[in-house]
Every structure is written in C-alpha cells, then in structure tokens.
PDB file of all heavy atoms in Angstrom:
ATOM      1  N   GLY B   9      98.719 105.533 101.568  1.00  0.00           N
ATOM      2  CA  GLY B   9      97.759 105.908 102.596  1.00  0.00           C
ATOM      3  C   GLY B   9      96.346 106.055 102.075  1.00  0.00           C
ATOM      4  O   GLY B   9      95.414 106.279 102.853  1.00  0.00           O
ATOM      5  N   THR B  10      96.172 105.936 100.743  1.00  0.00           N
ATOM      6  CA  THR B  10      94.838 105.993 100.132  1.00  0.00           C
ATOM      7  C   THR B  10      94.188 104.613 100.184  1.00  0.00           C
ATOM      8  O   THR B  10      94.836 103.606  99.883  1.00  0.00           O
ATOM      9  CB  THR B  10      94.937 106.456  98.678  1.00  0.00           C
ATOM     10  OG1 THR B  10      95.570 107.732  98.618  1.00  0.00           O
ATOM     11  CG2 THR B  10      93.564 106.544  98.035  1.00  0.00           C
ATOM     12  N   PHE B  11      92.936 104.552 100.565  1.00  0.00           N
ATOM     13  CA  PHE B  11      92.189 103.303 100.474  1.00  0.00           C
ATOM     14  C   PHE B  11      91.913 102.998  99.010  1.00  0.00           C
ATOM     15  O   PHE B  11      91.483 103.867  98.249  1.00  0.00           O
ATOM     16  CB  PHE B  11      90.875 103.401 101.237  1.00  0.00           C
ATOM     17  CG  PHE B  11      89.971 102.204 101.063  1.00  0.00           C
ATOM     18  CD1 PHE B  11      90.077 101.092 101.889  1.00  0.00           C
ATOM     19  CD2 PHE B  11      89.009 102.178 100.051  1.00  0.00           C
ATOM     20  CE1 PHE B  11      89.236  99.984 101.710  1.00  0.00           C
ATOM     21  CE2 PHE B  11      88.174 101.086  99.869  1.00  0.00           C
ATOM     22  CZ  PHE B  11      88.296  99.986 100.707  1.00  0.00           C
ATOM     23  N   ALA B  12      92.165 101.756  98.590  1.00  0.00           N
ATOM     24  CA  ALA B  12      91.911 101.317  97.219  1.00  0.00           C
ATOM     25  C   ALA B  12      91.077 100.053  97.259  1.00  0.00           C
ATOM     26  O   ALA B  12      91.459  99.067  97.910  1.00  0.00           O
ATOM     27  CB  ALA B  12      93.224 101.060  96.481  1.00  0.00           C
ATOM     28  N   GLY B  13      89.947 100.049  96.589  1.00  0.00           N
ATOM     29  CA  GLY B  13      89.102  98.870  96.592  1.00  0.00           C
ATOM     30  C   GLY B  13      88.015  98.954  95.538  1.00  0.00           C
ATOM     31  O   GLY B  13      88.023  99.826  94.666  1.00  0.00           O
ATOM     32  N   PHE B  14      87.074  98.041  95.619  1.00  0.00           N
ATOM     33  CA  PHE B  14      85.989  97.968  94.644  1.00  0.00           C
ATOM     34  C   PHE B  14      84.659  97.813  95.362  1.00  0.00           C
ATOM     35  O   PHE B  14      84.565  97.176  96.416  1.00  0.00           O
ATOM     36  CB  PHE B  14      86.195  96.798  93.689  1.00  0.00           C
ATOM     37  CG  PHE B  14      87.257  97.042  92.649  1.00  0.00           C
ATOM     38  CD1 PHE B  14      88.582  96.785  92.931  1.00  0.00           C
ATOM     39  CD2 PHE B  14      86.929  97.545  91.406  1.00  0.00           C
ATOM     40  CE1 PHE B  14      89.574  97.008  91.987  1.00  0.00           C
ATOM     41  CE2 PHE B  14      87.905  97.780  90.451  1.00  0.00           C
ATOM     42  CZ  PHE B  14      89.235  97.509  90.743  1.00  0.00           C
ATOM     43  N   ASP B  15      83.650  98.390  94.754  1.00  0.00           N
ATOM     44  CA  ASP B  15      82.276  98.262  95.210  1.00  0.00           C
ATOM     45  C   ASP B  15      81.707  97.025  94.521  1.00  0.00           C
ATOM     46  O   ASP B  15      81.551  97.003  93.293  1.00  0.00           O
ATOM     47  CB  ASP B  15      81.518  99.525  94.823  1.00  0.00           C
ATOM     48  CG  ASP B  15      80.107  99.576  95.370  1.00  0.00           C
ATOM     49  OD1 ASP B  15      79.794  98.803  96.284  1.00  0.00           O
ATOM     50  OD2 ASP B  15      79.314 100.401  94.857  1.00  0.00           O
ATOM     51  N   ILE B  16      81.409  95.970  95.286  1.00  0.00           N
ATOM     52  CA  ILE B  16      81.013  94.687  94.710  1.00  0.00           C
ATOM     53  C   ILE B  16      79.759  94.159  95.388  1.00  0.00           C
ATOM     54  O   ILE B  16      79.343  94.641  96.441  1.00  0.00           O
ATOM     55  CB  ILE B  16      82.143  93.643  94.804  1.00  0.00           C
ATOM     56  CG1 ILE B  16      82.385  93.243  96.268  1.00  0.00           C
ATOM     57  CG2 ILE B  16      83.420  94.159  94.156  1.00  0.00           C
ATOM     58  CD1 ILE B  16      83.368  92.089  96.416  1.00  0.00           C
ATOM     59  N   GLU B  17      79.196  93.125  94.755  1.00  0.00           N
ATOM     60  CA  GLU B  17      77.995  92.512  95.309  1.00  0.00           C
ATOM     61  C   GLU B  17      77.933  91.052  94.887  1.00  0.00           C
ATOM     62  O   GLU B  17      78.165  90.720  93.722  1.00  0.00           O
ATOM     63  CB  GLU B  17      76.754  93.247  94.815  1.00  0.00           C
ATOM     64  CG  GLU B  17      75.438  92.665  95.329  1.00  0.00           C
ATOM     65  CD  GLU B  17      74.234  93.406  94.770  1.00  0.00           C
ATOM     66  OE1 GLU B  17      74.344  93.942  93.649  1.00  0.00           O
ATOM     67  OE2 GLU B  17      73.202  93.442  95.439  1.00  0.00           O
ATOM     68  N   ASN B  18      77.649  90.189  95.865  1.00  0.00           N
ATOM     69  CA  ASN B  18      77.361  88.784  95.595  1.00  0.00           C
ATOM     70  C   ASN B  18      76.275  88.375  96.569  1.00  0.00           C
ATOM     71  O   ASN B  18      76.526  88.142  97.742  1.00  0.00           O
ATOM     72  CB  ASN B  18      78.613  87.914  95.768  1.00  0.00           C
ATOM     73  CG  ASN B  18      78.382  86.488  95.305  1.00  0.00           C
ATOM     74  OD1 ASN B  18      77.373  85.874  95.612  1.00  0.00           O
ATOM     75  ND2 ASN B  18      79.344  85.964  94.553  1.00  0.00           N
ATOM     76  N   THR B  19      75.044  88.328  96.082  1.00  0.00           N
ATOM     77  CA  THR B  19      73.902  88.150  96.975  1.00  0.00           C
ATOM     78  C   THR B  19      73.841  86.770  97.609  1.00  0.00           C
ATOM     79  O   THR B  19      73.130  86.566  98.588  1.00  0.00           O
ATOM     80  CB  THR B  19      72.597  88.417  96.214  1.00  0.00           C
ATOM     81  OG1 THR B  19      72.544  87.563  95.073  1.00  0.00           O
ATOM     82  CG2 THR B  19      72.537  89.864  95.748  1.00  0.00           C
ATOM     83  N   SER B  20      74.593  85.804  97.085  1.00  0.00           N
ATOM     84  CA  SER B  20      74.530  84.448  97.627  1.00  0.00           C
ATOM     85  C   SER B  20      75.558  84.194  98.713  1.00  0.00           C
ATOM     86  O   SER B  20      75.531  83.145  99.359  1.00  0.00           O
ATOM     87  CB  SER B  20      74.723  83.426  96.505  1.00  0.00           C
ATOM     88  OG  SER B  20      76.017  83.556  95.928  1.00  0.00           O
ATOM     89  N   LEU B  21      76.480  85.144  98.919  1.00  0.00           N
ATOM     90  CA  LEU B  21      77.551  84.938  99.892  1.00  0.00           C
ATOM     91  C   LEU B  21      77.606  86.092 100.873  1.00  0.00           C
ATOM     92  O   LEU B  21      77.284  87.228 100.540  1.00  0.00           O
ATOM     93  CB  LEU B  21      78.900  84.812  99.182  1.00  0.00           C
ATOM     94  CG  LEU B  21      79.052  83.649  98.196  1.00  0.00           C
ATOM     95  CD1 LEU B  21      80.388  83.762  97.476  1.00  0.00           C
ATOM     96  CD2 LEU B  21      78.958  82.314  98.925  1.00  0.00           C
ATOM     97  N   VAL B  22      78.053  85.812 102.089  1.00  0.00           N
ATOM     98  CA  VAL B  22      78.287  86.862 103.077  1.00  0.00           C
ATOM     99  C   VAL B  22      79.680  87.428 102.879  1.00  0.00           C
ATOM    100  O   VAL B  22      80.507  86.882 102.143  1.00  0.00           O
ATOM    101  CB  VAL B  22      78.121  86.318 104.516  1.00  0.00           C
ATOM    102  CG1 VAL B  22      76.702  85.829 104.737  1.00  0.00           C
ATOM    103  CG2 VAL B  22      79.135  85.215 104.803  1.00  0.00           C
ATOM    104  N   SER B  23      79.983  88.531 103.539  1.00  0.00           N
ATOM    105  CA  SER B  23      81.251  89.232 103.327  1.00  0.00           C
ATOM    106  C   SER B  23      82.455  88.342 103.572  1.00  0.00           C
ATOM    107  O   SER B  23      83.438  88.381 102.831  1.00  0.00           O
ATOM    108  CB  SER B  23      81.320  90.467 104.225  1.00  0.00           C
ATOM    109  OG  SER B  23      80.326  91.401 103.880  1.00  0.00           O
ATOM    110  N   ALA B  24      82.427  87.544 104.607  1.00  0.00           N
ATOM    111  CA  ALA B  24      83.573  86.697 104.922  1.00  0.00           C
ATOM    112  C   ALA B  24      83.852  85.708 103.805  1.00  0.00           C
ATOM    113  O   ALA B  24      85.017  85.431 103.465  1.00  0.00           O
ATOM    114  CB  ALA B  24      83.328  85.954 106.238  1.00  0.00           C
ATOM    115  N   ASP B  25      82.816  85.142 103.199  1.00  0.00           N
ATOM    116  CA  ASP B  25      83.001  84.192 102.104  1.00  0.00           C
ATOM    117  C   ASP B  25      83.624  84.869 100.880  1.00  0.00           C
ATOM    118  O   ASP B  25      84.470  84.297 100.188  1.00  0.00           O
ATOM    119  CB  ASP B  25      81.659  83.565 101.717  1.00  0.00           C
ATOM    120  CG  ASP B  25      81.113  82.654 102.807  1.00  0.00           C
ATOM    121  OD1 ASP B  25      81.935  82.058 103.527  1.00  0.00           O
ATOM    122  OD2 ASP B  25      79.884  82.550 102.930  1.00  0.00           O
ATOM    123  N   ILE B  26      83.196  86.102 100.595  1.00  0.00           N
ATOM    124  CA  ILE B  26      83.763  86.825  99.464  1.00  0.00           C
ATOM    125  C   ILE B  26      85.244  87.089  99.696  1.00  0.00           C
ATOM    126  O   ILE B  26      86.083  86.896  98.825  1.00  0.00           O
ATOM    127  CB  ILE B  26      83.004  88.148  99.239  1.00  0.00           C
ATOM    128  CG1 ILE B  26      81.553  87.867  98.840  1.00  0.00           C
ATOM    129  CG2 ILE B  26      83.684  88.985  98.158  1.00  0.00           C
ATOM    130  CD1 ILE B  26      80.713  89.110  98.705  1.00  0.00           C
ATOM    131  N   LEU B  27      85.589  87.530 100.923  1.00  0.00           N
ATOM    132  CA  LEU B  27      86.983  87.859 101.230  1.00  0.00           C
ATOM    133  C   LEU B  27      87.901  86.657 101.089  1.00  0.00           C
ATOM    134  O   LEU B  27      89.077  86.818 100.722  1.00  0.00           O
ATOM    135  CB  LEU B  27      87.085  88.443 102.634  1.00  0.00           C
ATOM    136  CG  LEU B  27      86.478  89.840 102.826  1.00  0.00           C
ATOM    137  CD1 LEU B  27      86.569  90.254 104.278  1.00  0.00           C
ATOM    138  CD2 LEU B  27      87.179  90.844 101.940  1.00  0.00           C
ATOM    139  N   ASN B  28      87.405  85.463 101.375  1.00  0.00           N
ATOM    140  CA  ASN B  28      88.246  84.259 101.271  1.00  0.00           C
ATOM    141  C   ASN B  28      88.805  84.071  99.871  1.00  0.00           C
ATOM    142  O   ASN B  28      89.911  83.552  99.705  1.00  0.00           O
ATOM    143  CB  ASN B  28      87.440  83.015 101.676  1.00  0.00           C
ATOM    144  CG  ASN B  28      87.350  82.857 103.173  1.00  0.00           C
ATOM    145  OD1 ASN B  28      88.251  83.266 103.902  1.00  0.00           O
ATOM    146  ND2 ASN B  28      86.250  82.276 103.639  1.00  0.00           N
ATOM    147  N   GLY B  29      88.046  84.460  98.868  1.00  0.00           N
ATOM    148  CA  GLY B  29      88.490  84.251  97.493  1.00  0.00           C
ATOM    149  C   GLY B  29      88.862  85.524  96.775  1.00  0.00           C
ATOM    150  O   GLY B  29      88.867  85.549  95.543  1.00  0.00           O
ATOM    151  N   LEU B  30      89.207  86.581  97.520  1.00  0.00           N
ATOM    152  CA  LEU B  30      89.412  87.894  96.915  1.00  0.00           C
ATOM    153  C   LEU B  30      90.843  88.380  97.090  1.00  0.00           C
ATOM    154  O   LEU B  30      91.432  88.252  98.168  1.00  0.00           O
ATOM    155  CB  LEU B  30      88.452  88.897  97.556  1.00  0.00           C
ATOM    156  CG  LEU B  30      88.350  90.286  96.936  1.00  0.00           C
ATOM    157  CD1 LEU B  30      87.822  90.197  95.510  1.00  0.00           C
ATOM    158  CD2 LEU B  30      87.433  91.165  97.779  1.00  0.00           C
ATOM    159  N   THR B  31      91.402  88.949  96.008  1.00  0.00           N
ATOM    160  CA  THR B  31      92.717  89.584  96.050  1.00  0.00           C
ATOM    161  C   THR B  31      92.620  90.937  95.363  1.00  0.00           C
ATOM    162  O   THR B  31      92.009  91.057  94.296  1.00  0.00           O
ATOM    163  CB  THR B  31      93.780  88.742  95.338  1.00  0.00           C
ATOM    164  OG1 THR B  31      93.881  87.466  95.978  1.00  0.00           O
ATOM    165  CG2 THR B  31      95.145  89.420  95.363  1.00  0.00           C
ATOM    166  N   ILE B  32      93.234  91.939  95.964  1.00  0.00           N
ATOM    167  CA  ILE B  32      93.314  93.261  95.351  1.00  0.00           C
ATOM    168  C   ILE B  32      94.778  93.659  95.261  1.00  0.00           C
ATOM    169  O   ILE B  32      95.535  93.545  96.230  1.00  0.00           O
ATOM    170  CB  ILE B  32      92.490  94.296  96.127  1.00  0.00           C
ATOM    171  CG1 ILE B  32      90.994  93.954  95.999  1.00  0.00           C
ATOM    172  CG2 ILE B  32      92.755  95.718  95.611  1.00  0.00           C
ATOM    173  CD1 ILE B  32      90.070  94.903  96.705  1.00  0.00           C
ATOM    174  N   ARG B  33      95.167  94.117  94.069  1.00  0.00           N
ATOM    175  CA  ARG B  33      96.555  94.506  93.814  1.00  0.00           C
ATOM    176  C   ARG B  33      96.589  95.947  93.306  1.00  0.00           C
ATOM    177  O   ARG B  33      95.665  96.400  92.643  1.00  0.00           O
ATOM    178  CB  ARG B  33      97.202  93.601  92.770  1.00  0.00           C
ATOM    179  CG  ARG B  33      97.302  92.130  93.157  1.00  0.00           C
ATOM    180  CD  ARG B  33      97.882  91.309  92.011  1.00  0.00           C
ATOM    181  NE  ARG B  33      98.114  89.909  92.370  1.00  0.00           N
ATOM    182  CZ  ARG B  33      97.210  88.945  92.257  1.00  0.00           C
ATOM    183  NH1 ARG B  33      95.996  89.242  91.786  1.00  0.00           N
ATOM    184  NH2 ARG B  33      97.493  87.719  92.603  1.00  0.00           N
ATOM    185  N   THR B  34      97.676  96.630  93.596  1.00  0.00           N
ATOM    186  CA  THR B  34      97.913  97.954  93.030  1.00  0.00           C
ATOM    187  C   THR B  34      99.165  97.913  92.160  1.00  0.00           C
ATOM    188  O   THR B  34     100.074  97.098  92.377  1.00  0.00           O
ATOM    189  CB  THR B  34      98.086  99.016  94.118  1.00  0.00           C
ATOM    190  OG1 THR B  34      99.176  98.638  94.982  1.00  0.00           O
ATOM    191  CG2 THR B  34      96.811  99.179  94.931  1.00  0.00           C
ATOM    192  N   TYR B  35      99.194  98.807  91.158  1.00  0.00           N
ATOM    193  CA  TYR B  35     100.314  98.903  90.218  1.00  0.00           C
ATOM    194  C   TYR B  35     100.670 100.370  90.028  1.00  0.00           C
ATOM    195  O   TYR B  35      99.832 101.268  90.225  1.00  0.00           O
ATOM    196  CB  TYR B  35      99.940  98.315  88.854  1.00  0.00           C
ATOM    197  CG  TYR B  35      99.585  96.845  88.865  1.00  0.00           C
ATOM    198  CD1 TYR B  35      98.320  96.418  89.275  1.00  0.00           C
ATOM    199  CD2 TYR B  35     100.513  95.892  88.468  1.00  0.00           C
ATOM    200  CE1 TYR B  35      97.989  95.075  89.285  1.00  0.00           C
ATOM    201  CE2 TYR B  35     100.181  94.535  88.468  1.00  0.00           C
ATOM    202  CZ  TYR B  35      98.923  94.140  88.876  1.00  0.00           C
ATOM    203  OH  TYR B  35      98.598  92.803  88.887  1.00  0.00           O
ATOM    204  N   LEU B  36     101.904 100.612  89.623  1.00  0.00           N
ATOM    205  CA  LEU B  36     102.349 101.944  89.225  1.00  0.00           C
ATOM    206  C   LEU B  36     103.170 101.802  87.957  1.00  0.00           C
ATOM    207  O   LEU B  36     104.182 101.101  87.944  1.00  0.00           O
ATOM    208  CB  LEU B  36     103.179 102.605  90.322  1.00  0.00           C
ATOM    209  CG  LEU B  36     103.642 104.038  90.023  1.00  0.00           C
ATOM    210  CD1 LEU B  36     102.445 104.973  89.895  1.00  0.00           C
ATOM    211  CD2 LEU B  36     104.602 104.541  91.096  1.00  0.00           C
ATOM    212  N   ASN B  37     102.688 102.448  86.888  1.00  0.00           N
ATOM    213  CA  ASN B  37     103.349 102.354  85.581  1.00  0.00           C
ATOM    214  C   ASN B  37     103.548 100.904  85.143  1.00  0.00           C
ATOM    215  O   ASN B  37     104.582 100.535  84.580  1.00  0.00           O
ATOM    216  CB  ASN B  37     104.686 103.085  85.604  1.00  0.00           C
ATOM    217  CG  ASN B  37     104.532 104.556  85.910  1.00  0.00           C
ATOM    218  OD1 ASN B  37     103.570 105.196  85.486  1.00  0.00           O
ATOM    219  ND2 ASN B  37     105.480 105.108  86.669  1.00  0.00           N
ATOM    220  N   GLY B  38     102.559 100.065  85.448  1.00  0.00           N
ATOM    221  CA  GLY B  38     102.597  98.668  85.046  1.00  0.00           C
ATOM    222  C   GLY B  38     103.350  97.737  85.966  1.00  0.00           C
ATOM    223  O   GLY B  38     103.375  96.526  85.744  1.00  0.00           O
ATOM    224  N   VAL B  39     103.965  98.264  87.016  1.00  0.00           N
ATOM    225  CA  VAL B  39     104.757  97.457  87.951  1.00  0.00           C
ATOM    226  C   VAL B  39     103.941  97.197  89.211  1.00  0.00           C
ATOM    227  O   VAL B  39     103.371  98.123  89.804  1.00  0.00           O
ATOM    228  CB  VAL B  39     106.082  98.163  88.307  1.00  0.00           C
ATOM    229  CG1 VAL B  39     106.866  97.345  89.336  1.00  0.00           C
ATOM    230  CG2 VAL B  39     106.913  98.403  87.057  1.00  0.00           C
ATOM    231  N   LEU B  40     103.881  95.920  89.631  1.00  0.00           N
ATOM    232  CA  LEU B  40     103.129  95.544  90.823  1.00  0.00           C
ATOM    233  C   LEU B  40     103.668  96.263  92.054  1.00  0.00           C
ATOM    234  O   LEU B  40     104.873  96.305  92.284  1.00  0.00           O
ATOM    235  CB  LEU B  40     103.206  94.034  91.024  1.00  0.00           C
ATOM    236  CG  LEU B  40     102.483  93.468  92.259  1.00  0.00           C
ATOM    237  CD1 LEU B  40     100.981  93.688  92.144  1.00  0.00           C
ATOM    238  CD2 LEU B  40     102.807  91.990  92.430  1.00  0.00           C
ATOM    239  N   ARG B  41     102.765  96.815  92.859  1.00  0.00           N
ATOM    240  CA  ARG B  41     103.162  97.521  94.076  1.00  0.00           C
ATOM    241  C   ARG B  41     102.791  96.735  95.334  1.00  0.00           C
ATOM    242  O   ARG B  41     103.637  96.456  96.166  1.00  0.00           O
ATOM    243  CB  ARG B  41     102.501  98.904  94.118  1.00  0.00           C
ATOM    244  CG  ARG B  41     102.834  99.785  92.939  1.00  0.00           C
ATOM    245  CD  ARG B  41     104.261 100.281  92.999  1.00  0.00           C
ATOM    246  NE  ARG B  41     104.335 101.522  93.755  1.00  0.00           N
ATOM    247  CZ  ARG B  41     105.459 102.182  93.992  1.00  0.00           C
ATOM    248  NH1 ARG B  41     106.602 101.699  93.561  1.00  0.00           N
ATOM    249  NH2 ARG B  41     105.454 103.317  94.668  1.00  0.00           N
ATOM    250  N   GLU B  42     101.503  96.398  95.474  1.00  0.00           N
ATOM    251  CA  GLU B  42     101.070  95.701  96.685  1.00  0.00           C
ATOM    252  C   GLU B  42     100.013  94.672  96.341  1.00  0.00           C
ATOM    253  O   GLU B  42      99.256  94.845  95.389  1.00  0.00           O
ATOM    254  CB  GLU B  42     100.495  96.694  97.708  1.00  0.00           C
ATOM    255  CG  GLU B  42     101.495  97.691  98.246  1.00  0.00           C
ATOM    256  CD  GLU B  42     100.874  98.615  99.282  1.00  0.00           C
ATOM    257  OE1 GLU B  42     100.728  98.184 100.450  1.00  0.00           O
ATOM    258  OE2 GLU B  42     100.523  99.756  98.919  1.00  0.00           O
ATOM    259  N   THR B  43      99.960  93.622  97.146  1.00  0.00           N
ATOM    260  CA  THR B  43      98.963  92.571  97.006  1.00  0.00           C
ATOM    261  C   THR B  43      98.360  92.273  98.371  1.00  0.00           C
ATOM    262  O   THR B  43      99.102  92.009  99.333  1.00  0.00           O
ATOM    263  CB  THR B  43      99.578  91.291  96.430  1.00  0.00           C
ATOM    264  OG1 THR B  43     100.152  91.573  95.158  1.00  0.00           O
ATOM    265  CG2 THR B  43      98.527  90.197  96.274  1.00  0.00           C
ATOM    266  N   LYS B  44      97.046  92.292  98.472  1.00  0.00           N
ATOM    267  CA  LYS B  44      96.362  91.961  99.715  1.00  0.00           C
ATOM    268  C   LYS B  44      95.254  90.961  99.403  1.00  0.00           C
ATOM    269  O   LYS B  44      94.511  91.122  98.436  1.00  0.00           O
ATOM    270  CB  LYS B  44      95.758  93.208 100.359  1.00  0.00           C
ATOM    271  CG  LYS B  44      96.778  94.286 100.705  1.00  0.00           C
ATOM    272  CD  LYS B  44      97.742  93.846 101.790  1.00  0.00           C
ATOM    273  CE  LYS B  44      98.723  94.975 102.125  1.00  0.00           C
ATOM    274  NZ  LYS B  44      99.708  94.559 103.162  1.00  0.00           N
ATOM    275  N   SER B  45      95.136  89.929 100.253  1.00  0.00           N
ATOM    276  CA  SER B  45      94.180  88.856  99.991  1.00  0.00           C
ATOM    277  C   SER B  45      93.504  88.415 101.275  1.00  0.00           C
ATOM    278  O   SER B  45      94.109  88.433 102.366  1.00  0.00           O
ATOM    279  CB  SER B  45      94.878  87.641  99.363  1.00  0.00           C
ATOM    280  OG  SER B  45      95.511  87.980  98.159  1.00  0.00           O
ATOM    281  N   GLY B  46      92.260  87.993 101.153  1.00  0.00           N
ATOM    282  CA  GLY B  46      91.573  87.256 102.183  1.00  0.00           C
ATOM    283  C   GLY B  46      91.226  88.046 103.430  1.00  0.00           C
ATOM    284  O   GLY B  46      91.357  89.265 103.512  1.00  0.00           O
ATOM    285  N   LEU B  47      90.767  87.317 104.427  1.00  0.00           N
ATOM    286  CA  LEU B  47      90.233  87.910 105.649  1.00  0.00           C
ATOM    287  C   LEU B  47      91.250  88.730 106.415  1.00  0.00           C
ATOM    288  O   LEU B  47      90.913  89.732 107.041  1.00  0.00           O
ATOM    289  CB  LEU B  47      89.681  86.796 106.550  1.00  0.00           C
ATOM    290  CG  LEU B  47      88.350  86.171 106.130  1.00  0.00           C
ATOM    291  CD1 LEU B  47      88.080  84.918 106.949  1.00  0.00           C
ATOM    292  CD2 LEU B  47      87.222  87.169 106.308  1.00  0.00           C
ATOM    293  N   ASN B  48      92.523  88.308 106.380  1.00  0.00           N
ATOM    294  CA  ASN B  48      93.524  88.964 107.214  1.00  0.00           C
ATOM    295  C   ASN B  48      93.983  90.301 106.660  1.00  0.00           C
ATOM    296  O   ASN B  48      94.468  91.151 107.404  1.00  0.00           O
ATOM    297  CB  ASN B  48      94.743  88.052 107.390  1.00  0.00           C
ATOM    298  CG  ASN B  48      94.425  86.795 108.183  1.00  0.00           C
ATOM    299  OD1 ASN B  48      93.558  86.824 109.067  1.00  0.00           O
ATOM    300  ND2 ASN B  48      95.110  85.702 107.879  1.00  0.00           N
ATOM    301  N   ASP B  49      93.858  90.496 105.356  1.00  0.00           N
ATOM    302  CA  ASP B  49      94.428  91.697 104.736  1.00  0.00           C
ATOM    303  C   ASP B  49      93.393  92.718 104.285  1.00  0.00           C
ATOM    304  O   ASP B  49      93.681  93.918 104.223  1.00  0.00           O
ATOM    305  CB  ASP B  49      95.260  91.311 103.500  1.00  0.00           C
ATOM    306  CG  ASP B  49      96.546  90.585 103.864  1.00  0.00           C
ATOM    307  OD1 ASP B  49      96.990  90.725 105.019  1.00  0.00           O
ATOM    308  OD2 ASP B  49      97.089  89.890 102.988  1.00  0.00           O
ATOM    309  N   LEU B  50      92.204  92.264 103.916  1.00  0.00           N
ATOM    310  CA  LEU B  50      91.233  93.153 103.291  1.00  0.00           C
ATOM    311  C   LEU B  50      90.210  93.667 104.290  1.00  0.00           C
ATOM    312  O   LEU B  50      89.923  93.017 105.306  1.00  0.00           O
ATOM    313  CB  LEU B  50      90.527  92.436 102.144  1.00  0.00           C
ATOM    314  CG  LEU B  50      91.430  92.032 100.966  1.00  0.00           C
ATOM    315  CD1 LEU B  50      90.648  91.202  99.971  1.00  0.00           C
ATOM    316  CD2 LEU B  50      92.022  93.263 100.281  1.00  0.00           C
ATOM    317  N   ILE B  51      89.690  94.827 103.993  1.00  0.00           N
ATOM    318  CA  ILE B  51      88.674  95.466 104.810  1.00  0.00           C
ATOM    319  C   ILE B  51      87.356  95.408 104.053  1.00  0.00           C
ATOM    320  O   ILE B  51      87.286  95.798 102.889  1.00  0.00           O
ATOM    321  CB  ILE B  51      89.030  96.938 105.090  1.00  0.00           C
ATOM    322  CG1 ILE B  51      90.402  97.041 105.758  1.00  0.00           C
ATOM    323  CG2 ILE B  51      87.966  97.610 105.934  1.00  0.00           C
ATOM    324  CD1 ILE B  51      90.923  98.460 105.830  1.00  0.00           C
ATOM    325  N   SER B  52      86.317  94.924 104.681  1.00  0.00           N
ATOM    326  CA  SER B  52      84.983  94.918 104.085  1.00  0.00           C
ATOM    327  C   SER B  52      84.121  95.885 104.868  1.00  0.00           C
ATOM    328  O   SER B  52      83.895  95.705 106.069  1.00  0.00           O
ATOM    329  CB  SER B  52      84.383  93.522 104.141  1.00  0.00           C
ATOM    330  OG  SER B  52      83.073  93.531 103.625  1.00  0.00           O
ATOM    331  N   VAL B  53      83.679  96.942 104.206  1.00  0.00           N
ATOM    332  CA  VAL B  53      82.947  97.985 104.912  1.00  0.00           C
ATOM    333  C   VAL B  53      81.666  98.318 104.172  1.00  0.00           C
ATOM    334  O   VAL B  53      81.557  98.155 102.961  1.00  0.00           O
ATOM    335  CB  VAL B  53      83.794  99.266 105.056  1.00  0.00           C
ATOM    336  CG1 VAL B  53      85.003  99.021 105.938  1.00  0.00           C
ATOM    337  CG2 VAL B  53      84.203  99.793 103.693  1.00  0.00           C
ATOM    338  N   SER B  54      80.700  98.813 104.905  1.00  0.00           N
ATOM    339  CA  SER B  54      79.522  99.413 104.299  1.00  0.00           C
ATOM    340  C   SER B  54      79.779 100.901 104.167  1.00  0.00           C
ATOM    341  O   SER B  54      80.291 101.533 105.083  1.00  0.00           O
ATOM    342  CB  SER B  54      78.291  99.173 105.168  1.00  0.00           C
ATOM    343  OG  SER B  54      77.997  97.799 105.244  1.00  0.00           O
ATOM    344  N   THR B  55      79.439 101.473 103.024  1.00  0.00           N
ATOM    345  CA  THR B  55      79.685 102.897 102.803  1.00  0.00           C
ATOM    346  C   THR B  55      78.446 103.551 102.231  1.00  0.00           C
ATOM    347  O   THR B  55      77.434 102.896 101.961  1.00  0.00           O
ATOM    348  CB  THR B  55      80.849 103.105 101.799  1.00  0.00           C
ATOM    349  OG1 THR B  55      80.384 102.788 100.487  1.00  0.00           O
ATOM    350  CG2 THR B  55      82.040 102.231 102.133  1.00  0.00           C
TER     351      THR B  55
END
C-alpha cells in the first residue's frame, strides 16, 4: 500500500514518453516482488 517510485527528470521528453520506456520493480530480501511498466501501470505525478 506504500507508493514506491523515483524523482526523475528528462527535459527533452514529456511524461508519457518517459513512461513508455520505464519499469519499476520492488524486492524483499533480494527476491522480486512486483513489476510495473509503461503508461498502464505507472503513475506520473507532480509533487
């Protein structure tokens, strides 16, 4: 239930373009837990 992500910047691309090539994964004790990729899975927010 915790949001997990990264604060990133790519001045040449808009958010949608970045999401197309982006994957974020979580691990616990070295074991893969979840994988989310692209426009359908990731949230791009201003904070």
